[in-house]
Amino acid sequence: MARTRNTSDHHCVYVVYLRDPEGDGKAGYYVGMTGLTPEQRFENHKKGYKSASVVRRCGERLVPRLYEHLNPMSYARALAMEGALADSLRKRGYKVFGGH
């Protein structure tokens, strides 16, 4: 069943794969939310525009299989989902940045 899209549902959560963010040889993830598309937001991170330094330095690629099915959503839902998604990844043993 397709989700009904409300006009206020234009926010997204996204996940970025990080290569060796702590210099210990282990990968990690960055979880964020945006009013842009995940692709536009990742590009801004890499260009240094309103970016998280860990994504600018270590961000390799987006991981759509972890978030595509969730988007789009309202700002309030995206804010809550950002934290829930980060917590879920942490509980699975991954090093996670962002996810405020």
Side-chain angles (χ1 to χ4, degrees), residues 7-44:
T7 56
S8 66
D9 290 351
H10 69 274
H11 287 82
C12 297
V13 291
Y14 63 96
V15 179
V16 176
Y17 173 80
L18 304 172
R19 181 180 302 275
D20 198 16
E22 295 186 329
D24 59 3
K26 296 179 183 175
Y29 290 108
Y30 177 88
V31 178
M33 67 164 281
T34 183
L36 304 171
T37 67
E39 294 78 14
Q40 290 169 318
R41 185 65 188 107
F42 180 62
E43 188 175 314
N44 283 347

